[in-house]
Amino acid sequence: MADETTNTAAPVAATDGASSAPAARPEGAPGGAREGGRKFFRRKKVCKFCVEKIDSVNYKDVRLLGQFVADSGKIVPRRLSGVCTPHQRRLADAIKQARNIALLPFASR
């Protein structure tokens, strides 16, 4: 009888919202369910310079370089622009050259 009275408190499960099962994601969130049943198809980006057979990236071609500069003045990265690695290197050098001779701004307001 002494054993029955010593431990009267039973362990209580935590029910304050911290459950072990993950919560369901909202429909618009990444990885959430889509109602239409169609999956999002992302087209593979291709290098503009390779497609148009442009061998050299000229620092004087402000119209072309401006396509690869964001509104804030930053150089757009490869994963966003779709430019291949060798052309991205030449592109970055040409943008930096154009900035130094004031053809492109370093930053916009």
Side-chain angles (χ1 to χ4, degrees):
M1 278 188 128
D3 292 333
E4 295 176 29
T5 59
T6 57
N7 191 7
T8 58
V12 178
T15 57
D16 59 344
S19 64
S20 61
R25 296 182 187 196
E27 301 246 347
R34 295 190 181 268
E35 287 185 18
R38 303 180 98 183
K39 292 186 178 180
F40 178 72
F41 177 72
R42 175 165 286 150
R43 180 181 299 269
K44 185 173 183 335
K45 295 178 182 177
V46 293
C47 179
K48 179 176 184 166
F49 299 101
C50 291
V51 169
E52 297 179 6
K53 306 247 193 279
I54 300 173
D55 292 330
S56 64
V57 183
N58 194 350
Y59 68 92
K60 298 177 206 168
D61 193 357
V62 180
R63 185 170 293 167
L64 177 69
L65 297 179
Q67 295 174 2
F68 299 99
V69 177
D71 293 335
S72 60
K74 293 183 176 182
I75 299 172
V76 178
R78 272 191 61 227
R79 61 185 168 81
L80 296 181
S81 65
V83 178
C84 66
T85 306
H87 284 122
Q88 179 71 21
R89 288 192 200 111
R90 291 185 215 146
L91 181 67
D93 289 340
I95 290 172
K96 290 172 187 177
Q97 248 184 325
R99 284 177 177 166
N100 281 332
I101 61 172
L103 294 177
L104 287 175
F106 278 95
S108 62
R109 295 179 186 212

